[in-house]
């Protein structure tokens, strides 16, 4: 079953809150919390991108996903990023200045 993963706008990505250490989260949710906005033109191969599943699997507790960038191309003023999530590939296309949630260790 496809989860229909999309790259959410930064305003929908969860942020750290007061007393954050008392909250238990899944690893993918924790990566989403620790992600930083990076302009699409600065994304590079191997970066970990945060995605949100529209149809999460029934075996998962949340919809947050972490995928790896395979390739980024810029053509005619648009940036295209190919991202591999577990079992699914997606292509994001948009303005090079759009902030993308990226988790970097």
């Amino acid at each position: 079953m496809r989860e229909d993963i999309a790259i959410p706008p930064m305003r929908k990505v969860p942020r750290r809150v007061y007393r954050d250490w008392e909250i238990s989260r899944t690893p993918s949710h924790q990566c989403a919390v620790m992600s930083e906005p990076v302009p699409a033109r600065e994304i590079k191969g191997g970066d970990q991108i945060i995605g949100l599943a529209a149809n999460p699997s029934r075996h998962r507790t949340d919809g947050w996903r972490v995928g790896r960038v395979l390739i980024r191309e810029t053509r005619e003023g648009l940036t295209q990023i190919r991202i591999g999530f577990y079992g699914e590939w997606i292509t994001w296309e948009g303005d090079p200045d759009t902030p993308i949630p990226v988790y970097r260790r």
Side-chain angles (χ1 to χ4, degrees):
M1 178 175 115
R2 289 183 53 95
E3 293 188 309
D4 295 329
I5 300 171
I7 307 302
M10 279 306 298
R11 60 183 161 73
K12 292 192 176 190
V13 176
R15 297 286 99 204
R16 291 185 182 135
V17 294
Y18 178 68
R19 299 176 71 111
D20 203 27
W21 66 88
E22 294 179 358
I23 300 171
S24 63
R25 295 190 171 108
T26 62
S28 56
H29 190 194
Q30 186 63 30
C31 287
V33 169
M34 296 172 62
S35 68
E36 297 291 331
V38 175
R41 69 176 172 278
E42 294 178 15
I43 303 288
K44 55 186 182 265
D47 277 348
Q48 295 181 335
I49 304 288
I50 304 301
L52 188 57
N55 302 315
S57 167
R58 61 186 171 144
H59 304 293
R60 305 282 299 260
T61 57
D62 66 8
W64 295 104
R65 302 292 180 264
V66 179
R68 286 204 182 265
V69 173
L70 173 66
I71 193 167
R72 177 190 50 87
E73 297 175 331
T74 302
R75 285 189 245 155
E76 301 170 8
L78 286 177
T79 297
Q80 189 177 49
I81 303 171
R82 186 111 163 113
I83 308 160
F85 291 91
Y86 181 74
E88 193 169 335
W89 286 95
I90 69 163
T91 300
W92 179 91
E93 187 172 283
D95 184 56
D97 294 325
T98 304
I100 305 286
V102 175
Y103 170 69
R104 292 180 176 156
R105 296 179 206 174

